[in-house]
Every structure is written in C-alpha cells, then in structure tokens.
Amino acid sequence: MEDLKPLYQAIEDTKRAISVGNRELAEKLGREMCNLFEALYQVDEETYTPEMCRLQLDSFATILELHIMRGDPMDISFRYGQFLKKFKMDMDHFPDWTEEDRRPAIEIAMRMTRKVERFYSEKTRAVHQPKAVKPGEIKCLLCKKNPADKPGSHMVPHLLIARTFSYDGSKDREKVVVDVTNLSEGYREKYFGHHVYDDTVNELIGRSLTDDEIEEENQKVNALTRDYVFCEDCEKRFSTIESYYAEILDGKKSYPPEIPYLFWMSVMWRMSVGDMGCKMDRDHEEKLRKVLDKCLAIKREDIVTKRSKLGYCAYSLYRAKDTRDETLGILGRHTATIPYQALMGDFLVNFYVSSCRAHSFCKQHHLPEEDLNEGQEPEKVGNLSFIEFWRVKRQMLDENWNHDRSVWNLGTQQHQTLSKYEKLDIDDFANRMGFMQGKGELSDDYSAWMTSENPNVIMFPRSIRKILLWMKEHNNEMSLEKMSEDLGYTQEELLVMLDYFAKQADIIEAKERKYMEEGRMFDELLEMDKSVFHD
C-alpha cells in the first residue's frame, strides 16, 4: 500500500479552497486530487480497508462539494446519486466491518446529505424574483419609455379574482388570503391581506399568528401584485380597459367588441411578463405589447379599435358555473403552449396569437370554432362543466409539476401557483386512511405522493380525497350509485376521476420503484441521530 499522506493532504487542500470560495484554485486542486487517487491508489477487494473506503468517499464528497460550489442542480443531483450508490455498496459489501469501521464513512455521508439538502432548500425557496425592488429601477414593461414607478399592479385584474381570494366573498383588496405554492420545492406559504383580522386567522389556521409571524406578514408583498413593473400612465390605461370590461361582465349589452378582445390580451400578456402562471414566447410577448401600447388609452373614447392596429389574435372564454369544492386560484401553464391557457377563478381562457392558428388548431383537435372570439362581434362565453374544469386543472397542475420539478429547472422557477387559502387536514386524512405504519413506512396500498410527508401531496385532488375517505368509511365498497348519492358527483364524473387517479398512481409508483434505493438511503441518513455527527 502506498503512503496515504499525499491523498489526505490533497483532499484537505481542496476542501480548504472550497471553504474560502476560491473556485479557480478549488477546481485546480480537485483535478490534482482525482489524478493522484487514480495514479497511486488502485486497490482490490483484499486490500480495501475501512480507511481506503473513508478516503474514497471523502474524495467523492469533495468532488460533490465542487459541484455545489458551481451551483448546477443537474450535476449535483447526478453526483449525489453516485455518492449514495458508492456509500451503499460499501456498507452492503463488507458486512464484517464493525460499527467503528463504518462510522467515518457514515459521518461523511451524513455531512454531504445535509449540504445537498441545504443547497436545494436555499436554491429553490426564492420562487418569484422581482424585476425591480424600487421605483424607476427599470423602464415600464408596456410603454418602455417611462420609469416603472407604480407599486401594487395586478397582473390578473382584481375584478376576476376578488371573490376567489377574499375570505368573506367581498371585493376588498386587503381581505385576500392566498396560498403561494412552489411546485419545484413542494411547499406552500400564506399571504394575509392587511384587513384579515385575528379571528379570521384563527378560523383558517386554528391559532393566532405569533409576533414573529405578524412581523413577517407585514413585510410580505401582496402575492397577487407586482411592484414597479409599470408606470403610472400605463397603470391607468389598464384600469380604463378593466373598468370598461367590468360593465360588460355585469351585463352591459352594447359595447365595442374590441374591448373584451383587448382586455383578455392584456390579462394574458401581464400574466406572462409578471411571471404569474402563464408563460409566452418572448416574440409573442413583444407582439402583444406593441398592440396594447398602441391601442390602450387613459380615456375610453381614445381606445384604438381599428382592425389593422389590433393584430389578428383570437381567444375562447369559458366559465364554470359549478366548481364544487375544488380550490380556485390563478393557474397557467409554465411552458409556452398552443393555445396559451390560464384558469383565473372560474374563468378558463385559451389565447391564440394568430387567428389562423386558432382555427387550424380547433379543426385539428375537434374544438368548436364558433367559440372563438376575434374582436369583431360581441363576446361569446361558453359553459365549462365541472368535469371539464376538473380535467383542465389537473392537466395544468400535472404538466407544471413535471416541468418545475425537473432537474433542469430546480432553482430557476419563477412562476407561482396561487390559490385560495383553505385549511386542509392532510395529516388527519393520512391517519384516517391508515397510510402510515411504524416509523413512517408506507403501506403497499397507496402511493407516497398521497401522504403529508411527501410534497406530491400538493398535487392531490380534493375530490379523490373525498372518494377515498368515503371508501374507507364503507369498507372499501365501490358502489358508484351510493357514492354518487353521498358525495354529489355523477357516476360519469366519478369514473373520470377514478380513472385519472389509477393512471396517475401507476405513473408515480413506477417512478418510486426506480428511485427507491436512493430515496430510502436519503431518508435513512436524514433520520439518523444528528447529535452524533458534526459538520
């Protein structure tokens, strides 16, 4: 066996360069460390001692620390998986090693598990990065001339979402209670408006806010608004088109058809530039910006309705009369799609930047072309049945979940999912269903994504929770007729939702089987007595 001192020294030198943030030196020493190990310390099973195991793991860990310094989530995920496999292989392959033999390797694994966990926690917690934090820092996103100095701009007009987010059904902007969900990290945080009082907080979360939480709430920016993205004049232009459209929603019979057209164009554009759910291609954002800048005005009579100025876009609008008890909010697709699609409360909008593309898309996908609005006749609003609303919401959430939790997007997510805050007794649900056994092990009957410990629970449909609880209370009976009578869904709706659940559970369980070994090892490391280990 060669003298191990040079390798010990190489590892410590590399770690020291990482600790002081000297990336150039750390990269150089890291390469030298790897070359040294490969040149001098090739060992076979007979000469593989606990000390060599510790050195190899420490070398792996140091390389992983280099990747954490670089900050690439994909590389970190890949290297961490390799590190865990190496650790598990050593622990399983040498059963005769004593606890004292294993202890140094376990300490290294525990240290790196905490560092990787900390990286992802810090990297993904800051979901929405504001475009500006003080007035005038950037130019107005609409006119691109004046300084953006207006705070509290609604990307989705308050008239569309007032009753959705207000805890008492009023239109008071400061009575909103919002759940802000980060799908990438799998967590929620709350925002309470300034007119939400202690008794309401008690009703919603079962207790009063602590002094620290009150201070934190006072520092939060309204989750439904963005600061310093528009100038005062452009904000007034948006206000004018919104007040005009509010009259149309209230039943105004005579109006220029260009008004709803421009209104919904402005909503979809603002959602995209404000990172609030819907994401458009930059070219499309700029196309719509130019139309809006030319056509919107502070006075109603000055709004431009000339066809050649409006562009040739199209949209279809639907409203769900019955959403049952499904949670409402603001939800759009986090990737560019045809059409651009968003749910705002009980409204569904499909927006096409080309009317020709809209007609061809409808023909291709057997959608009714007569539902399209192109700003040339009074607005048509279609009816969205409950199960259609349910399906489109599930599709958006599933696509966003897969997109945001992709290793390619960890740490880069900008879009939030905003929903009305409602108390969900997930823990009680899990206990009543009997999901948890022993020390947090899952029963074989249900997927881990349904438990409170797993962030997948954010994706869990409330209707499915109701169905499963009903089955639990009826000894797993599957009588659609009785279930329909008790729960208020039609039998056809129950079949659609149960079919979705079965397929989704199969997909998730297949992924779980694939990553089970790495996941179990990660959980075991986190559950170890941390008082034994030290960073």
Side-chain angles (χ1 to χ4, degrees), residues 517-528:
E517 291 303 318
E518 291 85 348
R520 183 182 294 121
M521 180 58 62
F522 185 83
D523 291 339
E524 288 173 359
L525 288 169
L526 289 178
E527 289 171 6
M528 288 180 178

Side-chain angles (χ1 to χ4, degrees), residues 404-448:
D404 293 357
R405 290 185 67 81
S406 163
V407 72
W408 293 98
N409 295 308
L410 286 173
T412 63
Q413 180 182 342
Q414 290 291 309
H415 288 273
Q416 301 158 318
T417 296
L418 305 175
S419 56
K420 180 178 181 179
Y421 179 75
E422 296 167 336
K423 186 176 180 181
L424 299 177
D425 294 320
I426 302 298
D427 292 317
D428 177 63
F429 170 69
N431 291 332
R432 289 171 67 187
M433 290 303 296
F435 288 157
M436 310 309 294
Q437 299 176 343
K439 296 182 180 180
E441 293 180 357
L442 300 173
S443 69
D444 294 332
D445 298 328
Y446 299 99
S447 177

Side-chain angles (χ1 to χ4, degrees), residues 351-407:
F351 194 89
Y352 304 84
V353 295
S354 161
S355 59
C356 292
R357 177 66 65 88
H359 286 280
S360 62
F361 185 89
C362 288
K363 288 177 181 177
Q364 181 180 354
H365 295 275
H366 308 290
L367 300 174
E369 292 182 72
E370 59 271 18
D371 287 353
L372 291 173
N373 293 286
E374 299 176 70
Q376 301 181 62
E377 55 188 33
E379 183 176 66
K380 293 165 283 188
V381 182
N383 179 50
L384 195 66
S385 70
F386 164 72
I387 203 62
E388 289 171 333
F389 168 83
W390 191 92
R391 274 175 167 156
V392 74
K393 180 183 175 185
R394 298 317 315 164
Q395 289 169 356
M396 284 189 193
L397 281 170
D398 291 341
E399 289 179 13
N400 291 347
W401 176 261
N402 292 330
H403 173 266
D404 293 357
R405 290 185 67 81
S406 163
V407 72

Side-chain angles (χ1 to χ4, degrees), residues 150-406:
K150 193 74 175 69
S153 295
H154 277 82
M155 301 299 101
V156 177
H158 191 65
L159 67 97
L160 298 177
I161 57 174
R163 290 189 175 88
T164 295
F165 289 101
S166 176
Y167 72 85
D168 61 358
S170 70
K171 294 184 178 181
D172 188 335
R173 292 170 182 252
E174 290 300 333
K175 286 189 176 181
V176 298
V177 185
V178 185
D179 246 343
V180 184
T181 302
N182 176 347
L183 295 178
S184 176
E185 177 72 1
Y187 80 98
R188 283 178 170 142
E189 67 175 9
K190 299 175 288 295
Y191 169 79
F192 293 103
H194 294 154
H195 294 170
V196 179
Y197 302 111
D198 189 59
D199 55 347
T200 303
V201 173
N202 255 301
E203 180 183 342
L204 291 172
I205 69 174
R207 62 176 177 80
S208 297
L209 295 177
T210 66
D211 290 342
D212 288 343
E213 287 173 327
I214 292 173
E215 183 178 350
E216 183 181 343
E217 283 296 323
N218 289 335
Q219 294 174 354
K220 286 182 180 178
V221 177
N222 189 334
L224 300 175
T225 66
R226 300 288 186 253
D227 288 338
Y228 313 128
V229 292
F230 302 124
C231 66
E232 187 170 349
D233 283 349
C234 287
E235 183 70 20
K236 289 178 181 177
R237 292 200 282 171
F238 287 129
S239 179
T240 299
I241 196 78
E242 289 170 15
S243 63
Y244 206 158
Y245 188 73
E247 295 176 8
I248 297 171
L249 275 186
D250 287 339
K252 185 179 179 69
K253 300 298 183 183
S254 178
Y255 58 87
E258 296 84 2
I259 298 304
Y261 173 91
L262 286 170
F263 171 82
W264 286 110
M265 180 186 291
S266 79
V267 173
M268 299 300 284
W269 178 78
R270 279 182 282 175
M271 286 183 71
S272 184
V273 300
D275 297 325
M276 193 169 282
C278 178
K279 189 58 186 174
M280 294 182 173
D281 287 331
R282 289 186 179 180
D283 289 347
H284 292 164
E285 282 185 356
E286 181 60 13
K287 173 183 176 179
L288 299 190
R289 185 199 70 79
K290 289 178 178 178
V291 172
L292 294 169
D293 191 32
K294 288 176 183 176
C295 297
L296 297 185
I298 294 176
K299 295 181 179 180
R300 289 189 181 187
E301 57 269 25
D302 293 334
I303 294 175
V304 176
T305 58
K306 188 176 180 180
R307 184 63 190 170
S308 61
K309 302 290 186 182
L310 290 171
Y312 295 88
C313 300
Y315 69 96
S316 55
L317 178 64
Y318 302 92
R319 194 166 191 177
K321 294 180 179 178
D322 183 7
T323 57
R324 311 292 167 86
D325 62 346
E326 288 294 305
T327 304
L328 301 178
I330 297 174
L331 178 63
R333 297 186 188 273
H334 294 180
T335 55
T337 58
I338 301 174
Y340 294 117
Q341 193 173 55
L343 278 168
M344 289 157 274
D346 54 2
F347 285 99
L348 169 66
V349 184
N350 299 313
F351 194 89
Y352 304 84
V353 295
S354 161
S355 59
C356 292
R357 177 66 65 88
H359 286 280
S360 62
F361 185 89
C362 288
K363 288 177 181 177
Q364 181 180 354
H365 295 275
H366 308 290
L367 300 174
E369 292 182 72
E370 59 271 18
D371 287 353
L372 291 173
N373 293 286
E374 299 176 70
Q376 301 181 62
E377 55 188 33
E379 183 176 66
K380 293 165 283 188
V381 182
N383 179 50
L384 195 66
S385 70
F386 164 72
I387 203 62
E388 289 171 333
F389 168 83
W390 191 92
R391 274 175 167 156
V392 74
K393 180 183 175 185
R394 298 317 315 164
Q395 289 169 356
M396 284 189 193
L397 281 170
D398 291 341
E399 289 179 13
N400 291 347
W401 176 261
N402 292 330
H403 173 266
D404 293 357
R405 290 185 67 81
S406 163

Side-chain angles (χ1 to χ4, degrees), residues 100-111:
E100 196 61 31
D101 290 335
R102 296 170 184 269
R103 184 182 180 86
I106 292 174
E107 288 180 344
I108 294 169
M110 191 67 204
R111 185 185 81 234

